[in-house]
Amino acid sequence: MRATKAIIHLDNLEYNIKQIKQRLAPHTKICLPVKADAYGHGAVRTAIAAIRAGVSYLAVASVQEGIELREAGIVAPIISLSLPILEEIDSIIEYKLEPLVIDESFINELNRTAEMQRKTVAVHLKIDTGMSRIGCKPSEAVKLATQIVRAKHLRLQGVATHFAVADSETEENRNFTRQQFEHFTDAVASIRNTGITIPIVHAANSGAVQAFPDAQFDMVRPGLLAYGYHPLKRGASSLDVKPVMELITQVVLIKQIRAGTSVSYGRDWTAAEDTYIATLPIGYADGLRRALSPGLKVRIGNEFFPIVGKICMDQCMIDLGSKPWVQRWDEVHIFGTDTRDNTAQTLADIAGTIPYEITCGIHKRVPRVFINECR
Ligand SMILES: *Cc1c(COP(=O)(O)O)cnc(C)c1O
């Protein structure tokens, strides 16, 4: 196996899920979003560990991601969060995925296909309360819920919405989330007033799990928190969660360079004095973004060393200083789970992005090594 690896600490995932559970009412279920290969952690192994830890629902972005889980033998209910196209309807039914639905014509088409296959499809009506991404208008919710209930081959399994700024602590954003919450509870109440039963009402992402306990309803959908990062950096109610992903590599070369020697493409770093440079077999194609140099320091043993010069596609260089104790093949910690280490949040801060983009960005060619399963 190559030196650059993502170690996936499934014990931390289970720990995080248990921490989240402690925040919920006993009847409230957890749906774990495992879209984008479980935010880069590996969808199948993550899903299996999560189900063992008490997650009852999974969510994927696309039908294809749902098929991957089903083909691995996962039987838990799976919501498919992005809107499918018509040609994906057969697979939704065949693989028993639960799509979000938002409009009359798609509901009709789904019902028609389900009838031909003599199956019933569980669906979730998605209401747009302020995200302006997908969802019906709150004013259409009763009409569409009624249509679903009347469709012989559909079952209304859930009603859902999604928050735009639940991870923000500003007064304005808290008010916006409060407003989304109210539009949603009103729409849910108006559906229930017609006598329709909704098995699962769900809305909360990680930010809402942390900051809006009222929005837990019957099920929550926290992704980021389960993977070990806080959507709200401060906040009195921070849950104790631990990062699940660790990214390591090894030194593959150490060489001395003279003062005045430049390092890497663009020659924008030059040694001020004689120094030792180590080459690491990790680059931006692995997900170590170019924007991390200058800025990121990586750990070897108890010491941190700066990446110097431009990060290349497959390699980068660090400055070991004039009297290095580091040896060829030593392990290098890019980010991890140890309290000393950088986390994906540290990298996100340096690169001007969010931890989601860091873990999702760890390329497929970086092997995932799963540890501490099933304790
Ligand atoms: C991705 C996603 C989530 C999870 O969001 P986090 O911020 O990771 O908790 C929840 N709901 C929907 C609809 C999503 O697309």
Side-chain angles (χ1 to χ4, degrees):
M1 191 182 292
R2 67 180 287 214
T4 301
K5 305 176 185 72
I7 315 283
I8 308 299
H9 294 260
L10 293 171
D11 52 337
N12 287 358
L13 177 81
E14 291 180 29
Y15 177 85
N16 299 340
I17 289 167
K18 288 183 176 140
Q19 291 300 114
I20 293 167
K21 248 188 160 79
Q22 286 182 6
R23 285 296 173 90
L24 307 177
H27 73 274
T28 304
K29 296 180 202 296
I30 299 177
C31 170
L32 182 68
V34 292
K35 58 195 186 194
D37 207 20
Y39 294 33
H41 294 71
V44 169
R45 302 286 284 271
T46 296
I48 292 169
I51 291 164
R52 283 205 183 109
V55 158
S56 39
Y57 251 87
L58 301 167
V60 293
S62 64
V63 172
Q64 172 217 334
E65 289 181 341
I67 293 173
E68 185 194 357
L69 298 180
R70 287 286 182 249
E71 289 191 331
I74 291 169
V75 296
I78 301 173
I79 301 178
S80 158
L81 295 168
S82 297
L83 293 186
I85 56 172
L86 295 175
E87 70 181 61
E88 293 175 302
I89 289 182
D90 280 330
S91 298
I92 289 173
I93 299 170
E94 182 183 351
Y95 290 93
K96 213 161 173 269
L97 306 178
E98 301 183 10
L100 298 181
V101 295
I102 57 150
D103 69 299
E104 204 176 313
S105 72
F106 192 83
I107 292 170
N108 279 334
E109 202 56 49
L110 194 59
N111 186 51
R112 204 172 11 253
T113 314
E115 181 174 10
M116 286 187 319
Q117 301 199 9
R118 297 196 186 82
K119 296 258 178 65
T120 299
V121 184
V123 301
H124 298 252
L125 178 62
K126 178 80 181 289
I127 305 174
D128 180 8
T129 57
M131 182 72 184
S132 304
R133 186 169 66 180
I134 57 173
C136 68
K137 294 195 187 103
S139 60
E140 300 168 319
V142 169
K143 183 190 74 186
L144 293 172
T146 307
Q147 189 196 351
I148 294 165
V149 170
R150 288 190 182 148
K152 283 210 174 65
H153 293 267
L154 302 185
R155 188 175 79 238
L156 182 65
Q157 176 72 355
V159 173
T161 194
H162 191 48
F163 294 118
V165 284
D167 60 352
S168 165
E169 284 165 307
T170 69
E171 181 75 12
E172 188 188 341
N173 286 339
R174 287 192 60 88
N175 286 338
F176 190 84
T177 306
R178 182 63 53 195
Q179 205 181 331
Q180 281 197 271
F181 171 81
E182 277 161 16
H183 289 322
F184 184 59
T185 46
D186 288 350
V188 167
S190 60
I191 295 169
R192 284 186 166 147
N193 283 341
T194 67
I196 292 173
T197 312
I198 310 169
I200 307 177
V201 174
H202 52 109
N205 54 5
S206 296
V209 167
Q210 227 184 318
F212 290 89
D214 292 353
Q216 289 174 0
F217 301 103
D218 305 308
M219 183 163 81
V220 296
R221 307 186 304 263
L224 193 71
L225 263 178
Y227 299 113
Y229 304 98
H230 286 112
L232 290 87
K233 278 187 203 158
R234 289 169 298 278
S237 61
S238 278
L239 281 152
D240 177 40
V241 291
K242 301 174 183 173
V244 176
M245 186 187 285
E246 177 184 4
L247 184 65
I248 59 169
T249 188
Q250 278 169 266
V251 171
V252 291
L253 177 67
I254 296 176
K255 64 167 139 206
Q256 191 181 28
I257 62 169
R258 295 287 168 211
T261 307
S262 66
V263 170
S264 196
Y265 290 124
R267 306 189 61 224
D268 55 5
W269 189 86
T270 300
E273 49 197 78
D274 293 0
T275 192
Y276 286 84
I277 295 291
T279 300
L280 311 180
I282 181 170
Y284 62 78
D286 296 298
L288 191 71
R289 301 161 64 106
R290 232 161 149 261
L292 292 166
S293 175
L296 184 65
K297 292 182 171 159
V298 298
R299 181 173 67 82
I300 303 174
N302 285 318
E303 205 176 327
F304 282 82
F305 300 96
I307 296 179
V308 292
K310 290 257 182 331
I311 294 172
C312 310
M313 186 184 287
D314 314 303
Q315 304 175 75
C316 67
M317 279 65 82
I318 60 177
D319 182 11
L320 299 176
S322 55
K323 292 196 184 69
W325 54 267
V326 172
Q327 298 191 348
R328 192 177 187 190
W329 319 125
D330 278 357
E331 191 164 274
V332 182
H333 300 261
I334 311 287
F335 67 81
T337 55
D338 189 302
T339 47
R340 290 176 289 184
D341 274 330
N342 301 312
T343 68
Q345 181 71 57
T346 328
L347 272 66
D349 291 342
I350 296 170
T353 181
I354 51 177
Y356 303 71
E357 213 183 7
I358 299 294
T359 64
C360 287
I362 303 305
H363 194 270
K364 233 198 194 96
R365 78 178 187 186
V366 177
R368 268 61 171 175
V369 178
F370 297 89
I371 62 167
N372 299 326
E373 267 174 300
C374 192
R375 279 235 196 124

